[in-house]
Amino acid sequence: LAKTTQPISMDSYEGQEVNITCSHNNIATNDYITWYQQFPSQGPRFIIQGYKTKVTNEVASLFIPADRKSSTLSLPRVSLSDTAVYYCLVGDRNFNKFYFGSGTKLNVKP
Amino acid sequence: DTGVSQDPRHKITKRGQNVTFRCDPISEHNRLYWYRQTLGQGPEFLTYFQNEAQLEKSRLLSDRFSAERPKGSFSTLEIQRTEQGDSAMYLCASSYPRGESSYEQYFGPGTRLTVT
């Protein structure tokens, strides 16, 4: 089961672009990379998922280099409401089980 | 679609007592997951069901823990002879396959267990 490593915390200001990088050196061929967001006292919420190159949706972009040993979640123009913990996890296509890790606590300042 | 619901939201129990939590997944979701989360840590996978079959169990799920999903709908997680170390948030999630994508999980609000 591929484990992930993320920075413990990051600070940013409103309106800035935030990039959170996750290391997953032991990622397997069939593994997908998924990012979740979690607010205090709530369950995690799916943000984005990818396998390779770049994926973009209405809230974020996910950049995955060719070797797939890391990935970067990009949040454009963050606001105070983006203050949360962000988890990177990897799992096979069937996602039979996950490893969430400790996540990155993002603090957005005014 | 009302999302994943969990009941109760909070539970305080004395050490040694049994507790049972319930999770109602999003209808038509065939997968249901249970996680445990302690303060400052990410969710730890406990077990998951595909329909009524329990397909995977973590080593974290000791003999005191049991989960069921009768008829492939709601699920229950029971902890017998609770210990103070069981104090945590218990999260439930459900999902369904989406073509080439993985099983995106939708999480419930969790049940916070405090063992005194």
mmCIF file of all heavy atoms in Angstrom, chain A residues 32 34 36 38 41-46 49 87 89 92-103, chain B residues 9 31 33 35 37 40-43 45 48 56 91 98-105 107-109:
data_model
loop_
_atom_site.group_PDB
_atom_site.id
_atom_site.type_symbol
_atom_site.label_atom_id
_atom_site.label_comp_id
_atom_site.label_asym_id
_atom_site.label_seq_id
_atom_site.Cartn_x
_atom_site.Cartn_y
_atom_site.Cartn_z
ATOM 1 N N TYR A 32 -4.311 5.226 -8.591
ATOM 2 C CA TYR A 32 -4.770 6.562 -8.893
ATOM 3 C C TYR A 32 -4.421 7.473 -7.714
ATOM 4 O O TYR A 32 -4.191 7.007 -6.605
ATOM 5 C CB TYR A 32 -6.298 6.585 -9.101
ATOM 6 C CG TYR A 32 -6.739 6.107 -10.447
ATOM 7 C CD1 TYR A 32 -6.659 4.763 -10.796
ATOM 8 C CD2 TYR A 32 -7.260 7.002 -11.382
ATOM 9 C CE1 TYR A 32 -7.074 4.326 -12.035
ATOM 10 C CE2 TYR A 32 -7.681 6.564 -12.627
ATOM 11 C CZ TYR A 32 -7.580 5.230 -12.945
ATOM 12 O OH TYR A 32 -7.988 4.796 -14.174
ATOM 13 N N THR A 34 -5.714 10.675 -5.461
ATOM 14 C CA THR A 34 -6.932 11.387 -5.120
ATOM 15 C C THR A 34 -6.648 12.385 -4.003
ATOM 16 O O THR A 34 -5.874 12.093 -3.102
ATOM 17 C CB THR A 34 -8.019 10.402 -4.651
ATOM 18 O OG1 THR A 34 -8.144 9.339 -5.589
ATOM 19 C CG2 THR A 34 -9.359 11.108 -4.500
ATOM 20 N N TYR A 36 -8.494 14.913 -1.086
ATOM 21 C CA TYR A 36 -9.694 15.220 -0.313
ATOM 22 C C TYR A 36 -9.450 16.449 0.547
ATOM 23 O O TYR A 36 -8.320 16.748 0.929
ATOM 24 C CB TYR A 36 -10.078 14.045 0.599
ATOM 25 C CG TYR A 36 -10.786 12.912 -0.093
ATOM 26 C CD1 TYR A 36 -10.079 11.948 -0.801
ATOM 27 C CD2 TYR A 36 -12.170 12.809 -0.045
ATOM 28 C CE1 TYR A 36 -10.730 10.919 -1.440
ATOM 29 C CE2 TYR A 36 -12.834 11.770 -0.678
ATOM 30 C CZ TYR A 36 -12.107 10.832 -1.368
ATOM 31 O OH TYR A 36 -12.763 9.802 -2.006
ATOM 32 N N GLN A 38 -10.883 18.400 4.116
ATOM 33 C CA GLN A 38 -11.657 18.159 5.324
ATOM 34 C C GLN A 38 -11.680 19.388 6.215
ATOM 35 O O GLN A 38 -10.623 19.931 6.565
ATOM 36 C CB GLN A 38 -11.116 16.966 6.116
ATOM 37 C CG GLN A 38 -11.996 16.580 7.305
ATOM 38 C CD GLN A 38 -11.524 15.350 8.036
ATOM 39 O OE1 GLN A 38 -10.329 15.048 8.060
ATOM 40 N NE2 GLN A 38 -12.450 14.617 8.642
ATOM 41 N N SER A 41 -14.670 18.788 12.194
ATOM 42 C CA SER A 41 -15.933 18.127 12.560
ATOM 43 C C SER A 41 -16.776 17.729 11.349
ATOM 44 O O SER A 41 -17.996 17.572 11.470
ATOM 45 C CB SER A 41 -16.762 19.034 13.491
ATOM 46 O OG SER A 41 -16.042 19.304 14.670
ATOM 47 N N GLN A 42 -16.153 17.569 10.218
ATOM 48 C CA GLN A 42 -16.858 17.087 9.032
ATOM 49 C C GLN A 42 -16.068 15.946 8.408
ATOM 50 O O GLN A 42 -14.861 15.809 8.626
ATOM 51 C CB GLN A 42 -17.022 18.197 7.988
ATOM 52 C CG GLN A 42 -17.918 19.333 8.426
ATOM 53 C CD GLN A 42 -18.156 20.323 7.301
ATOM 54 O OE1 GLN A 42 -18.036 19.987 6.125
ATOM 55 N NE2 GLN A 42 -18.485 21.550 7.659
ATOM 56 N N GLY A 43 -16.757 15.136 7.602
ATOM 57 C CA GLY A 43 -16.057 14.106 6.853
ATOM 58 C C GLY A 43 -15.312 14.711 5.673
ATOM 59 O O GLY A 43 -15.643 15.805 5.208
ATOM 60 N N PRO A 44 -14.290 14.030 5.173
ATOM 61 C CA PRO A 44 -13.562 14.526 3.999
ATOM 62 C C PRO A 44 -14.473 14.664 2.783
ATOM 63 O O PRO A 44 -15.479 13.960 2.668
ATOM 64 C CB PRO A 44 -12.504 13.444 3.777
ATOM 65 C CG PRO A 44 -12.338 12.772 5.094
ATOM 66 C CD PRO A 44 -13.696 12.786 5.708
ATOM 67 N N ARG A 45 -14.056 15.571 1.904
ATOM 68 C CA ARG A 45 -14.828 15.805 0.683
ATOM 69 C C ARG A 45 -13.896 15.667 -0.514
ATOM 70 O O ARG A 45 -12.816 16.250 -0.532
ATOM 71 C CB ARG A 45 -15.446 17.194 0.715
ATOM 72 C CG ARG A 45 -16.338 17.531 -0.469
ATOM 73 C CD ARG A 45 -16.981 18.893 -0.251
ATOM 74 N NE ARG A 45 -16.027 19.985 -0.361
ATOM 75 C CZ ARG A 45 -15.843 20.724 -1.456
ATOM 76 N NH1 ARG A 45 -16.529 20.447 -2.549
ATOM 77 N NH2 ARG A 45 -14.969 21.715 -1.454
ATOM 78 N N PHE A 46 -14.314 14.904 -1.510
ATOM 79 C CA PHE A 46 -13.527 14.671 -2.715
ATOM 80 C C PHE A 46 -13.259 15.991 -3.425
ATOM 81 O O PHE A 46 -14.153 16.816 -3.599
ATOM 82 C CB PHE A 46 -14.305 13.723 -3.625
ATOM 83 C CG PHE A 46 -13.677 13.489 -4.967
ATOM 84 C CD1 PHE A 46 -12.784 12.458 -5.155
ATOM 85 C CD2 PHE A 46 -14.012 14.287 -6.059
ATOM 86 C CE1 PHE A 46 -12.218 12.216 -6.409
ATOM 87 C CE2 PHE A 46 -13.449 14.064 -7.305
ATOM 88 C CZ PHE A 46 -12.555 13.021 -7.474
ATOM 89 N N GLN A 49 -9.142 13.862 -8.782
ATOM 90 C CA GLN A 49 -8.456 12.584 -8.926
ATOM 91 C C GLN A 49 -7.783 12.523 -10.286
ATOM 92 O O GLN A 49 -8.304 13.052 -11.268
ATOM 93 C CB GLN A 49 -9.447 11.446 -8.796
ATOM 94 C CG GLN A 49 -8.855 10.056 -8.895
ATOM 95 C CD GLN A 49 -9.950 9.031 -8.885
ATOM 96 O OE1 GLN A 49 -10.585 8.759 -9.900
ATOM 97 N NE2 GLN A 49 -10.197 8.478 -7.723
ATOM 98 N N TYR A 87 -5.841 16.131 2.079
ATOM 99 C CA TYR A 87 -5.235 14.801 2.097
ATOM 100 C C TYR A 87 -4.978 14.316 0.679
ATOM 101 O O TYR A 87 -5.832 14.424 -0.202
ATOM 102 C CB TYR A 87 -6.165 13.791 2.778
ATOM 103 C CG TYR A 87 -6.398 14.038 4.238
ATOM 104 C CD1 TYR A 87 -7.551 14.685 4.670
ATOM 105 C CD2 TYR A 87 -5.482 13.617 5.193
ATOM 106 C CE1 TYR A 87 -7.774 14.900 6.021
ATOM 107 C CE2 TYR A 87 -5.700 13.828 6.541
ATOM 108 C CZ TYR A 87 -6.851 14.470 6.946
ATOM 109 O OH TYR A 87 -7.073 14.688 8.277
ATOM 110 N N LEU A 89 -4.069 10.831 -1.288
ATOM 111 C CA LEU A 89 -4.019 9.391 -1.087
ATOM 112 C C LEU A 89 -3.933 8.682 -2.426
ATOM 113 O O LEU A 89 -4.322 9.204 -3.450
ATOM 114 C CB LEU A 89 -5.216 8.886 -0.304
ATOM 115 C CG LEU A 89 -6.610 9.142 -0.813
ATOM 116 C CD1 LEU A 89 -7.531 8.041 -0.371
ATOM 117 C CD2 LEU A 89 -7.128 10.454 -0.240
ATOM 118 N N ASP A 92 -5.479 1.656 -5.752
ATOM 119 C CA ASP A 92 -5.668 1.069 -7.072
ATOM 120 C C ASP A 92 -7.032 1.463 -7.622
ATOM 121 O O ASP A 92 -7.837 2.086 -6.942
ATOM 122 C CB ASP A 92 -5.488 -0.440 -7.044
ATOM 123 C CG ASP A 92 -6.546 -1.161 -6.216
ATOM 124 O OD1 ASP A 92 -7.632 -0.605 -5.999
ATOM 125 O OD2 ASP A 92 -6.267 -2.290 -5.783
ATOM 126 N N ARG A 93 -7.266 1.091 -8.840
ATOM 127 C CA ARG A 93 -8.466 1.530 -9.531
ATOM 128 C C ARG A 93 -9.731 1.118 -8.781
ATOM 129 O O ARG A 93 -10.730 1.812 -8.805
ATOM 130 C CB ARG A 93 -8.494 0.951 -10.937
ATOM 131 C CG ARG A 93 -9.682 1.369 -11.753
ATOM 132 C CD ARG A 93 -9.587 0.841 -13.157
ATOM 133 N NE ARG A 93 -10.785 1.114 -13.908
ATOM 134 C CZ ARG A 93 -10.941 0.810 -15.176
ATOM 135 N NH1 ARG A 93 -9.959 0.221 -15.836
ATOM 136 N NH2 ARG A 93 -12.063 1.073 -15.813
ATOM 137 N N ASN A 94 -9.641 -0.011 -8.112
ATOM 138 C CA ASN A 94 -10.794 -0.469 -7.356
ATOM 139 C C ASN A 94 -10.854 0.132 -5.959
ATOM 140 O O ASN A 94 -11.834 -0.063 -5.243
ATOM 141 C CB ASN A 94 -10.797 -1.992 -7.255
ATOM 142 C CG ASN A 94 -11.093 -2.649 -8.585
ATOM 143 O OD1 ASN A 94 -11.939 -2.170 -9.337
ATOM 144 N ND2 ASN A 94 -10.406 -3.734 -8.884
ATOM 145 N N PHE A 95 -9.802 0.829 -5.575
ATOM 146 C CA PHE A 95 -9.742 1.489 -4.272
ATOM 147 C C PHE A 95 -10.248 0.591 -3.165
ATOM 148 O O PHE A 95 -11.180 0.906 -2.444
ATOM 149 C CB PHE A 95 -10.515 2.805 -4.297
ATOM 150 C CG PHE A 95 -9.673 3.918 -4.832
ATOM 151 C CD1 PHE A 95 -9.526 4.093 -6.185
ATOM 152 C CD2 PHE A 95 -8.990 4.753 -3.981
ATOM 153 C CE1 PHE A 95 -8.713 5.100 -6.687
ATOM 154 C CE2 PHE A 95 -8.172 5.761 -4.471
ATOM 155 C CZ PHE A 95 -8.040 5.934 -5.827
ATOM 156 N N ASN A 96 -9.584 -0.541 -3.064
ATOM 157 C CA ASN A 96 -9.988 -1.487 -2.035
ATOM 158 C C ASN A 96 -9.646 -1.002 -0.641
ATOM 159 O O ASN A 96 -10.261 -1.418 0.325
ATOM 160 C CB ASN A 96 -9.353 -2.850 -2.291
ATOM 161 C CG ASN A 96 -9.890 -3.462 -3.568
ATOM 162 O OD1 ASN A 96 -11.065 -3.355 -3.877
ATOM 163 N ND2 ASN A 96 -9.020 -4.097 -4.324
ATOM 164 N N LYS A 97 -8.635 -0.179 -0.542
ATOM 165 C CA LYS A 97 -8.329 0.422 0.746
ATOM 166 C C LYS A 97 -7.473 1.647 0.503
ATOM 167 O O LYS A 97 -6.924 1.826 -0.580
ATOM 168 C CB LYS A 97 -7.626 -0.558 1.680
ATOM 169 C CG LYS A 97 -6.417 -1.255 1.096
ATOM 170 C CD LYS A 97 -5.938 -2.321 2.057
ATOM 171 C CE LYS A 97 -4.882 -3.195 1.423
ATOM 172 N NZ LYS A 97 -4.454 -4.272 2.344
ATOM 173 N N PHE A 98 -7.401 2.489 1.513
ATOM 174 C CA PHE A 98 -6.725 3.766 1.367
ATOM 175 C C PHE A 98 -5.769 4.022 2.501
ATOM 176 O O PHE A 98 -5.893 3.475 3.586
ATOM 177 C CB PHE A 98 -7.750 4.908 1.404
ATOM 178 C CG PHE A 98 -8.714 4.902 0.281
ATOM 179 C CD1 PHE A 98 -9.857 4.155 0.361
ATOM 180 C CD2 PHE A 98 -8.474 5.647 -0.845
ATOM 181 C CE1 PHE A 98 -10.760 4.161 -0.676
ATOM 182 C CE2 PHE A 98 -9.377 5.659 -1.882
ATOM 183 C CZ PHE A 98 -10.524 4.910 -1.795
ATOM 184 N N TYR A 99 -4.810 4.898 2.212
ATOM 185 C CA TYR A 99 -3.967 5.428 3.265
ATOM 186 C C TYR A 99 -4.060 6.941 3.169
ATOM 187 O O TYR A 99 -3.600 7.535 2.191
ATOM 188 C CB TYR A 99 -2.524 4.959 3.097
ATOM 189 C CG TYR A 99 -1.589 5.532 4.124
ATOM 190 C CD1 TYR A 99 -1.575 5.045 5.423
ATOM 191 C CD2 TYR A 99 -0.743 6.585 3.802
ATOM 192 C CE1 TYR A 99 -0.732 5.590 6.366
ATOM 193 C CE2 TYR A 99 0.102 7.121 4.750
ATOM 194 C CZ TYR A 99 0.105 6.613 6.025
ATOM 195 O OH TYR A 99 0.953 7.133 6.963
ATOM 196 N N PHE A 100 -4.655 7.564 4.185
ATOM 197 C CA PHE A 100 -4.864 8.998 4.143
ATOM 198 C C PHE A 100 -3.650 9.795 4.596
ATOM 199 O O PHE A 100 -3.467 10.907 4.170
ATOM 200 C CB PHE A 100 -6.064 9.385 5.021
ATOM 201 C CG PHE A 100 -7.370 9.434 4.281
ATOM 202 C CD1 PHE A 100 -8.134 8.316 4.096
ATOM 203 C CD2 PHE A 100 -7.832 10.632 3.759
ATOM 204 C CE1 PHE A 100 -9.339 8.365 3.419
ATOM 205 C CE2 PHE A 100 -9.038 10.696 3.077
ATOM 206 C CZ PHE A 100 -9.785 9.563 2.907
ATOM 207 N N GLY A 101 -2.843 9.314 5.464
ATOM 208 C CA GLY A 101 -1.760 10.106 6.014
ATOM 209 C C GLY A 101 -2.284 11.194 6.926
ATOM 210 O O GLY A 101 -3.459 11.203 7.300
ATOM 211 N N SER A 102 -1.437 12.116 7.283
ATOM 212 C CA SER A 102 -1.812 13.175 8.232
ATOM 213 C C SER A 102 -2.302 14.433 7.547
ATOM 214 O O SER A 102 -2.827 15.328 8.197
ATOM 215 C CB SER A 102 -0.631 13.524 9.135
ATOM 216 O OG SER A 102 -0.235 12.400 9.896
ATOM 217 N N GLY A 103 -2.122 14.532 6.253
ATOM 218 C CA GLY A 103 -2.642 15.673 5.526
ATOM 219 C C GLY A 103 -1.837 16.948 5.694
ATOM 220 O O GLY A 103 -0.886 17.018 6.471
ATOM 221 N N ARG B 9 -24.612 11.175 16.227
ATOM 222 C CA ARG B 9 -23.510 12.073 15.908
ATOM 223 C C ARG B 9 -22.489 12.093 17.041
ATOM 224 O O ARG B 9 -21.299 12.267 16.807
ATOM 225 C CB ARG B 9 -24.023 13.484 15.658
ATOM 226 C CG ARG B 9 -24.898 13.614 14.416
ATOM 227 C CD ARG B 9 -24.073 13.413 13.131
ATOM 228 N NE ARG B 9 -22.916 14.271 13.085
ATOM 229 C CZ ARG B 9 -22.939 15.524 12.689
ATOM 230 N NH1 ARG B 9 -24.048 16.072 12.273
ATOM 231 N NH2 ARG B 9 -21.809 16.239 12.665
ATOM 232 N N ARG B 31 -20.780 0.458 -2.552
ATOM 233 C CA ARG B 31 -19.679 0.303 -1.609
ATOM 234 C C ARG B 31 -19.911 1.160 -0.378
ATOM 235 O O ARG B 31 -20.405 2.284 -0.459
ATOM 236 C CB ARG B 31 -18.358 0.681 -2.261
ATOM 237 C CG ARG B 31 -17.833 -0.396 -3.192
ATOM 238 C CD ARG B 31 -16.349 -0.310 -3.311
ATOM 239 N NE ARG B 31 -15.819 -1.413 -4.111
ATOM 240 C CZ ARG B 31 -14.558 -1.580 -4.369
ATOM 241 N NH1 ARG B 31 -13.669 -0.725 -3.897
ATOM 242 N NH2 ARG B 31 -14.150 -2.607 -5.096
ATOM 243 N N TYR B 33 -17.735 2.181 3.312
ATOM 244 C CA TYR B 33 -16.466 2.120 4.026
ATOM 245 C C TYR B 33 -16.645 2.644 5.453
ATOM 246 O O TYR B 33 -17.431 3.559 5.696
ATOM 247 C CB TYR B 33 -15.422 3.013 3.346
ATOM 248 C CG TYR B 33 -15.137 2.701 1.898
ATOM 249 C CD1 TYR B 33 -15.989 3.101 0.884
ATOM 250 C CD2 TYR B 33 -13.969 2.030 1.547
ATOM 251 C CE1 TYR B 33 -15.703 2.839 -0.441
ATOM 252 C CE2 TYR B 33 -13.665 1.764 0.211
ATOM 253 C CZ TYR B 33 -14.542 2.172 -0.772
ATOM 254 O OH TYR B 33 -14.249 1.909 -2.089
ATOM 255 N N TYR B 35 -14.178 4.218 8.603
ATOM 256 C CA TYR B 35 -12.874 4.745 8.985
ATOM 257 C C TYR B 35 -12.922 5.195 10.440
ATOM 258 O O TYR B 35 -13.992 5.497 10.984
ATOM 259 C CB TYR B 35 -12.509 5.979 8.148
ATOM 260 C CG TYR B 35 -12.297 5.732 6.687
ATOM 261 C CD1 TYR B 35 -13.371 5.734 5.804
ATOM 262 C CD2 TYR B 35 -11.014 5.545 6.170
ATOM 263 C CE1 TYR B 35 -13.171 5.523 4.452
ATOM 264 C CE2 TYR B 35 -10.810 5.341 4.816
ATOM 265 C CZ TYR B 35 -11.894 5.337 3.968
ATOM 266 O OH TYR B 35 -11.696 5.134 2.627
ATOM 267 N N GLN B 37 -10.947 8.136 12.913
ATOM 268 C CA GLN B 37 -10.057 9.292 12.861
ATOM 269 C C GLN B 37 -9.844 9.858 14.253
ATOM 270 O O GLN B 37 -10.806 10.171 14.951
ATOM 271 C CB GLN B 37 -10.617 10.379 11.941
ATOM 272 C CG GLN B 37 -9.668 11.553 11.734
ATOM 273 C CD GLN B 37 -10.176 12.532 10.696
ATOM 274 O OE1 GLN B 37 -11.369 12.660 10.463
ATOM 275 N NE2 GLN B 37 -9.255 13.238 10.044
ATOM 276 N N GLY B 40 -5.949 15.210 14.839
ATOM 277 C CA GLY B 40 -4.694 15.533 14.189
ATOM 278 C C GLY B 40 -4.203 14.501 13.202
ATOM 279 O O GLY B 40 -3.147 14.678 12.594
ATOM 280 N N GLN B 41 -4.962 13.436 13.047
ATOM 281 C CA GLN B 41 -4.573 12.381 12.123
ATOM 282 C C GLN B 41 -5.590 12.258 10.995
ATOM 283 O O GLN B 41 -6.739 12.683 11.122
ATOM 284 C CB GLN B 41 -4.470 11.038 12.849
ATOM 285 C CG GLN B 41 -3.456 11.019 13.974
ATOM 286 C CD GLN B 41 -2.051 11.285 13.482
ATOM 287 O OE1 GLN B 41 -1.603 10.702 12.488
ATOM 288 N NE2 GLN B 41 -1.345 12.165 14.158
ATOM 289 N N GLY B 42 -5.160 11.652 9.905
ATOM 290 C CA GLY B 42 -6.088 11.388 8.826
ATOM 291 C C GLY B 42 -6.934 10.173 9.138
ATOM 292 O O GLY B 42 -6.635 9.417 10.058
ATOM 293 N N PRO B 43 -7.994 9.997 8.398
ATOM 294 C CA PRO B 43 -8.841 8.819 8.616
ATOM 295 C C PRO B 43 -8.060 7.531 8.395
ATOM 296 O O PRO B 43 -7.275 7.430 7.462
ATOM 297 C CB PRO B 43 -9.944 8.980 7.570
ATOM 298 C CG PRO B 43 -9.960 10.434 7.241
ATOM 299 C CD PRO B 43 -8.527 10.877 7.352
ATOM 300 N N PHE B 45 -8.422 3.578 7.583
ATOM 301 C CA PHE B 45 -9.363 2.614 7.024
ATOM 302 C C PHE B 45 -9.590 1.467 7.995
ATOM 303 O O PHE B 45 -8.660 0.919 8.579
ATOM 304 C CB PHE B 45 -8.781 2.078 5.710
ATOM 305 C CG PHE B 45 -9.501 0.902 5.144
ATOM 306 C CD1 PHE B 45 -10.645 1.084 4.392
ATOM 307 C CD2 PHE B 45 -9.037 -0.386 5.357
ATOM 308 C CE1 PHE B 45 -11.319 -0.010 3.852
ATOM 309 C CE2 PHE B 45 -9.693 -1.477 4.823
ATOM 310 C CZ PHE B 45 -10.842 -1.292 4.078
ATOM 311 N N TYR B 48 -14.453 -2.337 4.474
ATOM 312 C CA TYR B 48 -15.415 -1.898 3.475
ATOM 313 C C TYR B 48 -16.260 -3.061 2.975
ATOM 314 O O TYR B 48 -15.863 -4.227 3.047
ATOM 315 C CB TYR B 48 -14.738 -1.144 2.335
ATOM 316 C CG TYR B 48 -14.288 -1.971 1.148
ATOM 317 C CD1 TYR B 48 -15.132 -2.187 0.062
ATOM 318 C CD2 TYR B 48 -13.005 -2.494 1.102
ATOM 319 C CE1 TYR B 48 -14.707 -2.910 -1.034
ATOM 320 C CE2 TYR B 48 -12.573 -3.225 0.013
ATOM 321 C CZ TYR B 48 -13.429 -3.432 -1.063
ATOM 322 O OH TYR B 48 -13.012 -4.159 -2.150
ATOM 323 N N GLU B 56 -12.872 -6.356 2.800
ATOM 324 C CA GLU B 56 -11.557 -6.004 3.313
ATOM 325 C C GLU B 56 -11.682 -5.541 4.745
ATOM 326 O O GLU B 56 -12.610 -4.811 5.080
ATOM 327 C CB GLU B 56 -10.952 -4.883 2.459
ATOM 328 C CG GLU B 56 -9.509 -4.527 2.778
ATOM 329 C CD GLU B 56 -8.512 -5.508 2.219
ATOM 330 O OE1 GLU B 56 -8.845 -6.152 1.206
ATOM 331 O OE2 GLU B 56 -7.417 -5.633 2.776
ATOM 332 N N LEU B 91 -16.024 7.465 10.891
ATOM 333 C CA LEU B 91 -16.549 7.989 9.639
ATOM 334 C C LEU B 91 -17.017 6.862 8.739
ATOM 335 O O LEU B 91 -16.392 5.810 8.671
ATOM 336 C CB LEU B 91 -15.472 8.786 8.898
ATOM 337 C CG LEU B 91 -15.016 10.075 9.550
ATOM 338 C CD1 LEU B 91 -13.692 10.530 8.945
ATOM 339 C CD2 LEU B 91 -16.050 11.169 9.378
ATOM 340 N N ARG B 98 -17.503 4.717 -11.393
ATOM 341 C CA ARG B 98 -17.826 5.697 -12.425
ATOM 342 C C ARG B 98 -16.891 5.508 -13.600
ATOM 343 O O ARG B 98 -15.883 6.180 -13.716
ATOM 344 C CB ARG B 98 -17.684 7.117 -11.876
ATOM 345 C CG ARG B 98 -18.639 7.473 -10.783
ATOM 346 C CD ARG B 98 -18.538 8.953 -10.448
ATOM 347 N NE ARG B 98 -17.195 9.317 -10.040
ATOM 348 C CZ ARG B 98 -16.556 10.366 -10.516
ATOM 349 N NH1 ARG B 98 -17.104 11.135 -11.421
ATOM 350 N NH2 ARG B 98 -15.338 10.652 -10.096
ATOM 351 N N GLY B 99 -17.208 4.588 -14.458
ATOM 352 C CA GLY B 99 -16.435 4.397 -15.669
ATOM 353 C C GLY B 99 -14.960 4.207 -15.398
ATOM 354 O O GLY B 99 -14.558 3.389 -14.578
ATOM 355 N N GLU B 100 -14.132 5.014 -16.056
ATOM 356 C CA GLU B 100 -12.684 4.883 -15.908
ATOM 357 C C GLU B 100 -12.211 5.391 -14.563
ATOM 358 O O GLU B 100 -11.100 5.095 -14.134
ATOM 359 C CB GLU B 100 -11.971 5.659 -17.016
ATOM 360 C CG GLU B 100 -12.028 4.969 -18.365
ATOM 361 C CD GLU B 100 -11.239 3.678 -18.347
ATOM 362 O OE1 GLU B 100 -10.094 3.679 -17.865
ATOM 363 O OE2 GLU B 100 -11.775 2.655 -18.808
ATOM 364 N N SER B 101 -13.019 6.193 -13.916
ATOM 365 C CA SER B 101 -12.592 6.771 -12.647
ATOM 366 C C SER B 101 -12.736 5.760 -11.531
ATOM 367 O O SER B 101 -13.337 4.728 -11.673
ATOM 368 C CB SER B 101 -13.427 8.002 -12.316
ATOM 369 O OG SER B 101 -13.270 8.990 -13.287
ATOM 370 N N SER B 102 -12.174 6.155 -10.438
ATOM 371 C CA SER B 102 -12.215 5.286 -9.277
ATOM 372 C C SER B 102 -13.541 5.456 -8.563
ATOM 373 O O SER B 102 -14.426 6.161 -9.006
ATOM 374 C CB SER B 102 -11.115 5.652 -8.324
ATOM 375 O OG SER B 102 -11.465 6.835 -7.672
ATOM 376 N N TYR B 103 -13.588 4.811 -7.447
ATOM 377 C CA TYR B 103 -14.754 4.913 -6.599
ATOM 378 C C TYR B 103 -14.619 6.172 -5.745
ATOM 379 O O TYR B 103 -14.051 6.128 -4.670
ATOM 380 C CB TYR B 103 -14.831 3.689 -5.689
ATOM 381 C CG TYR B 103 -15.207 2.403 -6.395
ATOM 382 C CD1 TYR B 103 -14.317 1.756 -7.223
ATOM 383 C CD2 TYR B 103 -16.460 1.838 -6.178
ATOM 384 C CE1 TYR B 103 -14.665 0.576 -7.844
ATOM 385 C CE2 TYR B 103 -16.811 0.647 -6.786
ATOM 386 C CZ TYR B 103 -15.913 0.017 -7.624
ATOM 387 O OH TYR B 103 -16.252 -1.146 -8.224
ATOM 388 N N GLU B 104 -15.160 7.281 -6.198
ATOM 389 C CA GLU B 104 -15.140 8.506 -5.404
ATOM 390 C C GLU B 104 -15.994 8.292 -4.167
ATOM 391 O O GLU B 104 -17.149 7.865 -4.254
ATOM 392 C CB GLU B 104 -15.692 9.672 -6.210
ATOM 393 C CG GLU B 104 -15.859 10.961 -5.408
ATOM 394 C CD GLU B 104 -16.530 12.048 -6.208
ATOM 395 O OE1 GLU B 104 -16.441 12.002 -7.451
ATOM 396 O OE2 GLU B 104 -17.147 12.938 -5.593
ATOM 397 N N GLN B 105 -15.426 8.578 -3.027
ATOM 398 C CA GLN B 105 -16.129 8.326 -1.776
ATOM 399 C C GLN B 105 -16.825 9.574 -1.251
ATOM 400 O O GLN B 105 -16.257 10.657 -1.267
ATOM 401 C CB GLN B 105 -15.146 7.823 -0.724
ATOM 402 C CG GLN B 105 -14.552 6.466 -1.077
ATOM 403 C CD GLN B 105 -13.667 5.934 0.009
ATOM 404 O OE1 GLN B 105 -13.989 6.011 1.193
ATOM 405 N NE2 GLN B 105 -12.538 5.392 -0.370
ATOM 406 N N PHE B 107 -18.422 11.044 2.109
ATOM 407 C CA PHE B 107 -18.336 10.798 3.542
ATOM 408 C C PHE B 107 -19.540 11.356 4.290
ATOM 409 O O PHE B 107 -20.109 12.386 3.918
ATOM 410 C CB PHE B 107 -17.073 11.437 4.127
ATOM 411 C CG PHE B 107 -15.831 10.637 3.869
ATOM 412 C CD1 PHE B 107 -15.179 10.720 2.656
ATOM 413 C CD2 PHE B 107 -15.308 9.820 4.855
ATOM 414 C CE1 PHE B 107 -14.023 9.987 2.412
ATOM 415 C CE2 PHE B 107 -14.148 9.077 4.629
ATOM 416 C CZ PHE B 107 -13.515 9.162 3.403
ATOM 417 N N GLY B 108 -19.881 10.674 5.363
ATOM 418 C CA GLY B 108 -20.876 11.182 6.288
ATOM 419 C C GLY B 108 -20.238 12.128 7.292
ATOM 420 O O GLY B 108 -19.023 12.335 7.273
ATOM 421 N N PRO B 109 -21.049 12.692 8.201
ATOM 422 C CA PRO B 109 -20.528 13.656 9.176
ATOM 423 C C PRO B 109 -19.756 13.008 10.319
ATOM 424 O O PRO B 109 -19.065 13.697 11.062
ATOM 425 C CB PRO B 109 -21.795 14.337 9.691
ATOM 426 C CG PRO B 109 -22.845 13.289 9.534
ATOM 427 C CD PRO B 109 -22.497 12.524 8.290
#
